[in-house]
Amino acid sequence: MFAWEAVRQFPSVILVEGLFDLAVLWQAGFRNTTCAFGTHLTPAQLRELSHPLGRRVFLAYDQDENQAGQRASQALARQLLLRGAVVSLVTLPAGQDPNSFFVHGASAADFARCLERAQPL
């Protein structure tokens, strides 16, 4: 996970798929964001993300029209829940990821509202 050493101390973490998503969220002030370089994590990464027990993890994956990002979020959420994390799924407009959300004019406050509305599992 990118920048994990800088992110690991936060009680909640936002996980995104790619570097552009990470960059735009860091630029908007969400320094508790890391990226998985895709949708799959290793067992070691799952342990790190879930530690300490009860850490809140927001999954802000792509809202793909073919539902691939949503399916990946659900699968990852189940794995994190089994390891003791508190997981919430962030919903963005259809077809968008965090980067495109901001490119289309969203603000940090808009993304913060998405986090507030995130669906806990």
Side-chain angles (χ1 to χ4, degrees), residues 29-116:
F30 297 94
R31 295 300 175 120
N32 62 329
T33 304
T34 188
C35 111
F37 298 108
T39 60
H40 294 86
L41 295 177
T42 67
Q45 290 170 322
L46 288 166
R47 276 192 306 277
E48 287 176 335
L49 200 53
S50 301
H51 183 75
L53 289 178
R55 172 181 278 155
R56 187 155 188 203
V57 180
F58 292 93
L59 299 179
Y61 277 19
D62 298 2
Q63 299 296 298
D64 302 310
E65 289 183 26
N66 67 3
Q67 301 292 307
Q70 294 89 326
R71 283 192 301 275
S73 291
Q74 291 285 338
L76 180 56
R78 285 189 294 276
Q79 293 176 53
L80 289 167
L81 287 168
L82 289 173
R83 288 169 173 81
V86 176
V87 182
S88 295
L89 300 179
V90 178
T91 303
L92 299 172
Q96 292 192 6
D97 59 26
N99 180 51
S100 63
F101 185 59
F102 280 87
V103 167
H104 284 94
S107 67
D110 295 326
F111 190 77
R113 280 190 287 283
C114 290
L115 292 177
E116 291 169 5

